[in-house]
Amino acid sequence: MGGGSTREEPSSVNLGKAGGIPLLPAGSPVGVSAEQLQHKPGESPEEHIARITALLDAAAEAMAIAAMEHRRRLEEQKRRAKIKL
């Protein structure tokens, strides 16, 4: 691993025939990285699945909260624009 090149992270996690899970952009409030999805040394398959499931649940919840907040801000902007008219 001594080469000076930078390694790019994959844009999705390959799940074979099931397709892929797109990874979130850097700076996302969710913060799930490709490294977090990797199997850890000494981790049983069941532990790995449970950990990944918990990460995905947390990511889904954070994304839902961010989407609701975004919609709330848009509605607030629309309301302010109506008042100014």
Side-chain angles (χ1 to χ4, degrees), residues 12-77:
S12 67
V13 176
N14 187 0
L15 298 176
K17 292 182 181 180
I21 299 172
L23 297 178
L24 300 167
S28 171
V30 178
V32 177
S33 70
E35 288 79 24
Q36 288 176 301
L37 299 174
Q38 299 301 313
H39 187 271
K40 293 183 179 182
E43 186 176 48
S44 74
E46 293 82 10
E47 291 169 331
H48 182 235
I49 291 169
R51 186 173 54 79
I52 297 304
T53 300
L55 282 171
L56 294 176
D57 285 347
E61 182 179 354
M63 289 170 25
I65 290 169
M68 286 187 296
E69 181 63 22
H70 180 71
R71 280 192 297 270
R72 186 193 63 76
R73 278 189 249 122
L74 287 176
E75 289 297 323
E76 188 175 313
Q77 280 181 339

